[in-house]
Amino acid sequence: MPHTANTRKADRERIQSFHTKRILSEIQTAGEISRGQVAQRTGMNIMTVGRIVEDLISRGILQERGTEAASQAGRPPRLLSLDSDRLLCASLFLDRDILHLGVVDPVGQMRAYEALPVPEGDFLPEWIMPWMADCLSRFLEQQQGLHPCHTVGVVVPGILDIGKGEMVFSANFQWGSVPLLAQLQKRLPGYEFIVENDVKAVAVAEHQFGNIKGFQNVVALNIGDGIGAAVILNGEIYRGKDNMAGEIGHVILSPAGKICECGKVGCLQTYLSQRTVLAEARAVYPDITLAKLHELYRQGEPFASAFMNLVAEYVSIAINLLANAYAPEVVLLCGSMMRQGSVLPEIVSSIYQEKLNQYMKDTFQLRFERFGITGHLVGGGVLAMRQVLQQLCG
């Protein structure tokens, strides 16, 4: 047949690409790993692994170093890793008050970081998006010494259409149908972008490098300006239909409750978000901050004690909801409410099991985020790097 040779060549190239992607995935997940371990985990022949690895080293994608520890054969094992000086990705995280920009290396370290206050005035996409793109452009120009890849992770709150790069809806921003990808590409035509939800980005960062690394089934619960969750099943982000999995902030807790930004009544977010908590506390103590509220709690002030325990109960209800829905190995708590002092994490840790069904107790671990605010950037960088590696595989 006239196309047999071409067909065989195409088949070999597909197999080569598939094997290369598997090898890079194992190395990215492990951080550092030997050739023998790669062969064992992928089920590939050691010679096949070696041939692909040598090609990747020659292209500047992988690096290999010896260790001081000796193997049983008496020779020091050599460990593979992504080239942390060449494979750097930029990412950004936009919230209502601050634009965070960073450059992330393949082991989750921040090589550069900048935080810029969002301009005062109406928080509208027609104003914020051009400003954000200009800030990103200046930041990237300043990083030319690092030579980041031309793929950028873009992290925002809300429901996203990943394929279109569009923000479908964000209750925090009150934005809908915003073409993030198209607007960024228009202003920065030399770059590619991958968009991700803020909580899912944190889950990716913590699963790759942080406090849930090594677990296959995890739920990350974010408690901040909004309430959301990210679910990892069998080691991969579970997105659900239209990428809507995890939007528990809009689960109705009480049909007789407060009106939510989404337009419904009694959403969990109206009881637990940072803005809600501060608004309620300020009915008693005008202009109080979370730090001052925590201080009053430590002093045993009656309102602060009762109020912080109530907040912790709502957190525990959310934990119970997620534990029953997904039966995870770990529930990870993250978000601005968890980062501002140790009071809320301490209370939640002491009472959350009271809200659990008896059959759920001791079935999962409760953990807290490692990265803090930079977790969004690390997650965005990880996802951008995955896209870069996919492209390098052909």
Side-chain angles (χ1 to χ4, degrees), residues 226-238:
I227 307 300
V231 182
I232 294 177
L233 298 178
N234 299 319
E236 300 290 339
I237 287 284
Y238 172 69

Side-chain angles (χ1 to χ4, degrees), residues 136-305:
L136 175 61
S137 179
R138 287 193 297 270
F139 177 77
L140 292 170
E141 288 176 4
Q142 295 166 5
Q143 311 311 318
Q144 291 308 305
L146 292 175
H147 304 291
C149 300
H150 281 218
T151 300
V152 179
V154 177
V155 178
V156 290
I159 300 171
L160 306 176
D161 185 323
I162 299 296
K164 293 181 180 178
E166 179 179 297
M167 177 185 284
V168 178
F169 175 72
S170 174
N172 289 357
F173 288 2
Q174 286 296 289
W175 288 6
S177 301
V178 178
L180 302 173
L181 187 63
Q183 293 193 30
L184 286 168
Q185 286 179 331
K186 182 178 180 180
R187 299 183 79 93
L188 289 90
Y191 287 85
E192 295 183 8
F193 300 91
I194 181 167
V195 299
E196 185 56 278
N197 164 270
D198 58 340
V199 188
K200 290 181 174 69
V202 169
V204 167
E206 294 287 340
H207 189 248
Q208 186 77 40
F209 303 113
N211 288 337
I212 53 176
K213 183 176 181 178
F215 292 95
Q216 293 297 299
N217 300 293
V218 182
V219 176
L221 172 60
N222 180 84
I223 302 165
D225 284 341
I227 307 300
V231 182
I232 294 177
L233 298 178
N234 299 319
E236 300 290 339
I237 287 284
Y238 172 69
R239 298 190 178 276
K241 188 177 186 300
D242 297 330
N243 201 31
M244 292 191 295
E247 291 294 324
I248 69 160
H250 302 290
V251 170
I252 294 175
L253 204 61
S254 170
K258 306 169 189 175
I259 298 176
C260 181
E261 295 168 320
C262 73
K264 300 298 181 182
V265 176
C267 294
L268 176 62
Q269 190 158 300
T270 65
Y271 293 88
L272 193 52
S273 72
Q274 182 168 316
R275 277 176 287 171
T276 298
V277 166
L278 283 175
E280 196 158 335
R282 286 169 180 167
V284 178
Y285 290 106
D287 301 320
I288 197 169
T289 63
L290 279 176
K292 184 61 178 179
L293 189 60
H294 292 172
E295 181 183 336
L296 292 175
Y297 175 87
R298 294 290 191 197
Q299 294 170 0
E301 195 276 336
F303 170 79
S305 297

